[in-house]
Amino acid sequence: MASSSPAPARLSVRELTKIFNTPEGPATAVKDVSFDIAPNTFFTMLGPSGCGKTTTLRMIAGLETITSGQILFNGEDFRRKSAFERNIGMVFQSYALFPHMTVFENAAYGLRLRGADEATITKRVHETLAMLRLDGLAQRYPADLSGGQQQRVSIGRALVYHPGMLLLDEPLANLDAKLRVEMRDEIRRLQKALNVMALYVTHDQEEAMAISDVIGVFSKGRLMQLGAPYDIYSAPISLFVADFIGKANFFPVDIESRDHGRAAVVALGGSRFAGVKTVTAASDEGEWFVKPQAALMMSRPEQMWLSSAGQQLDKPAFTGRALRIQFLGSFVRYLVETGQARGEVIVDLPAFAEGVSEGDEVRFGLVGPSLVFEEGSR
Amino acid sequence: MPPATRRRLNIAPYVAGGVTIFVLVAFLLYPIGTTMLNSFAPAGEAFNVLNATLENFSRFFTSSMYQQALLNTIFIGVMVTVLATAVAVPAAYFVARVQIPFKPLILSLSIIPLISPPFIGAYSWVVLFGRSGIVSQYLNQWFGIQMPPVYGYFGVILSMVLSNFTYVFLFVQGALTAVDPHLEESARVMGASRWRVLRTVVLPLAIPPMLAGAMIVLIEALGEFGAPAVLGGEMYVLSTLMYFQIHGFFNLNAASAIALVNVLITLGAILFLIRVNKKRRFVTVGSTTRRAALQTGRGIRIVANCYVWGLLALALLPQLVVVFTSFAEKWPGTLWPTQYGWGNYQYVFSRVVEPLQNSLILAAVATVACVIFGTLTGYVAERKTFFGKWALDLTIMLPFILPGIVTGVALLVTYNSGPIALTGTALIIVIGYFVRRIAYIYRSVVAAVTQIDLKMEEASTVAGATWGTTMRKVTIPLIAPGILAGAIIVFTTLISEMSTTVMLYSARWKTISIAIYERLETQEISAAAAIGSITILVTLILVLTATRVIGKSMSELFS
């Protein structure tokens, strides 16, 4: 979580709202989004397309007007500054390199606007290009570079004038899978080396987990949850977040008894699970629940066990049929068809389960703690 | 702590847009409105509700001259459009689909009729086919054939077809070249013969660009002044009738009435063509940059070469005759000149310097104004959303459908007297040029800006650049080729502009085209030809330079 210690470059967003006027009437893109980011934090806004994450980023950049709310950076009100006065660096999905300028001129652009002298420009640009391993390419034009190189140049262009914060709008979306992994590590390395706050937008939850200090999960214009990757994965506070971050299995259950935020639940098929933590789902998630069961128990695939139906075990279990077995290298994934869960169940095991082939009946259950979501009040 | 400043709004683009709108309203919409109203006022009066009359239009019912001019305009417009399309489409097909050498040269040469002074070329037909014309005399001597008189329909239509077919040619040629070859290949694979593919796939695809080209030809033909003025003889069309009313009787109200009728005809024609074209909407998604295979058959190549080069030769003949005539020092009604030399040029450079200067100055000033305001307005129109955008778009494109002579008449009528009397000044000519040509720059800029990723400008803004800096360092450099191409077209077409100038020029501000026209009227043919040759040369050099600078071919500049 973001630390609360007072520090210079911290970002504070208060009840940010954006309503677009479309021909079909006003459309709310961002609604009451609030968060605080500590200095030097790598913050990622994560969510499916159309969730308001990019609009939020663009409001922080000053490229989109703010309908209501506040953005404070270092205690300064960003609403009173134009985009070009905010001293930010920004990397775009399309790179947006100036095609009529060389790599050097692209990188020098922000420094020239700040009136730096030629010696400083040369020194800083070459430093930055070297840091991004672009040394030999200074005199090339963007059209002559590969996608990965163009991406590096656009990052260099955004960092060379030491901006107060670095904004990245899906910067890796146009790269191939391998390069994407390399570049995300490099971006993280640079961000830490230069001590600059980074705001990163992506729809790729794996990327977000790998790169971030703090993740904000967005859905339908709202900030659903804010926290470190582990917290969000292990303790989601809404069904949307549970489902969007990583894989999740949902079992309709009835709550039998409660005790200090924990409950004993009965699943379809009669299995009982005791001491499960309860969470109230978000107010608009009513349609997730499978009536007549009042609650949904959530479990991650790697926190499940699975064995062939013949094996009798003395622990609560579900039954189903293994539809598909995928060997994925470091683990084996079982897709299980069952009437006792909401949709298919995914079980990830470190090794093949003995005696289970595709089409076989299986038993499966939970290892360790899980969560139970209760329907929120409207 | 310094007092907090509100975020500044960038007003520069809105100021530029505002000025453009003001100029367009004051010098285009208002004059046209005034002209239309004045056409309902008695001769010599300004319109008010009490003096409303249809007197000016009554001549269309009583005067056979008026009726004939109206019919002539429609007849010539339709004939020129149909014939120009008919000669252009085969040429376009041959160039696009048959293996012919020197294609870039063919495309470049086809532009020359468009950029040459309009009526000096028309007069060449008199030199060739007139009563004592070169060709007429030979035909008479050798075969005893009497040519039909070149004055009248024959000359006007011939001259206009050959100077306007290029529009259709370039449009159709471009479309046929760009058609996804997969379309034809799939038709072939499905078992269609070559002729069937041509009839059922290729030609239908060429219809929208053909109609687009035909529309331009029709608009040009309905508003053309030069060719009917030089070759019309006793035959009047609406534009020459307007000229006659103003230069003969200075009857502005009668001219206004004719202008209104002229605009109505043009409007009707455009609406008709748009209707025809609307029924045919094709989405041509070109997923490949591969070109269709060229036909290489011997027979088709011979036919194609003969047709294309023959047509070009015919279209360029007038310019060649102009150049030839400019070297004729003595031509006393004989078959060929009796003495050749540079005399005409010496005469032009000693006596006709001022019109040359005037044309260059007026065209340059108008071009610069078009570039500045067209660029900013085009940028604003493409990038910003604001109330009444469609009205701006419509207004700026209006001169495209207005015959040039009507714009001239409207400005003359409106600013002839009163608090702002501009008649006779250079300003009114520049304004006329500006409102007629700003659309060229505007359209190039809109097209160019659409191509630029908005994120590029945002990247510049975020890096710390103001709107002005972003424009100067990022946007303008990227759209410069488009602006330059537009500027060259504007400048070259303005140097020899005739239709608007003929209504607005004064003794002090005569232009090249007026100088040529005056010399044609006083039968100083060779001097006129020398001025014409110089104009052709200057225009060609400009266009060639521009193509070098921009890296586009001549024909791309015009399509």
Side-chain angles (χ1 to χ4, degrees), chain A residues 183-226:
Chain A
M183 280 304 294
R184 74 185 186 203
D185 294 337
E186 185 144 341
I187 290 173
R188 164 96 186 175
R189 178 177 65 79
L190 279 168
Q191 184 259 335
K192 290 300 170 202
L194 295 171
N195 265 331
V196 60
M197 175 190 294
L199 269 63
Y200 190 95
V201 162
T202 182
H203 62 266
D204 181 337
Q205 48 98 10
E206 192 207 325
E207 192 172 288
M209 307 260 270
I211 202 170
S212 320
D213 297 317
V214 180
I215 295 177
V217 186
F218 283 70
S219 173
K220 296 176 190 161
R222 289 171 180 278
L223 176 58
M224 303 297 286
Q225 191 169 358
L226 191 72

Side-chain angles (χ1 to χ4, degrees), chain A residues 321-335:
Chain A
R321 200 166 60 90
L323 280 183
R324 177 90 180 88
I325 302 172
Q326 300 170 335
F327 176 65
L328 295 172
S330 52
F331 62 94
V332 186
R333 172 161 291 173
Y334 291 80
L335 301 179

Side-chain angles (χ1 to χ4, degrees), chain A residues 11-13 16 18 35 45 52-66 70-73 77-92 114 158 161 163-169 197-201, chain B residues 7 455 457-465:
Chain A
L11 177 70
S12 178
V13 171
L16 199 61
K18 175 70 190 184
F35 54 82
M45 293 188 263
K53 56 192 192 301
T54 296
T55 308
T56 304
L57 189 80
R58 288 171 59 81
M59 282 193 281
I60 295 170
L63 297 173
E64 209 73 75
T65 56
I66 296 167
Q70 249 191 339
I71 300 172
L72 297 173
F73 185 61
D77 186 357
F78 255 18
R79 289 191 75 164
R80 297 190 181 282
K81 284 185 161 187
S82 292
F84 62 86
E85 298 164 325
R86 294 186 184 188
N87 192 30
I88 46 190
M90 188 158 176
V91 178
F92 295 86
R114 283 161 180 73
Y161 48 87
M165 66 172 107
L166 178 64
L167 309 183
L168 303 106
D169 184 7
M197 175 190 294
L199 269 63
Y200 190 95
V201 162
Chain B
R7 281 183 61 174
K455 296 274 191 303
E457 291 169 22
E458 291 180 350
S460 168
T461 307
V462 166

Side-chain angles (χ1 to χ4, degrees), chain B residues 27 357-359 361-366 411 421-434 500-501 504-511:
Chain B
F27 297 106
Q357 281 175 348
N358 288 344
S359 273
I361 293 169
L362 294 171
V365 172
L411 283 170
L422 297 173
T423 305
T425 61
L427 183 62
I428 198 166
I429 303 181
V430 169
I431 289 171
Y433 288 178
F434 176 80
T500 305
T501 320
L504 301 175
Y505 78 93
S506 55
R508 166 67 189 87
W509 289 99
K510 280 181 189 168
T511 64

Side-chain angles (χ1 to χ4, degrees), chain A residues 17-30 67:
Chain A
T17 297
K18 175 70 190 184
I19 300 169
F20 284 108
N21 288 314
T22 65
E24 293 85 44
T28 307
V30 176
T67 307

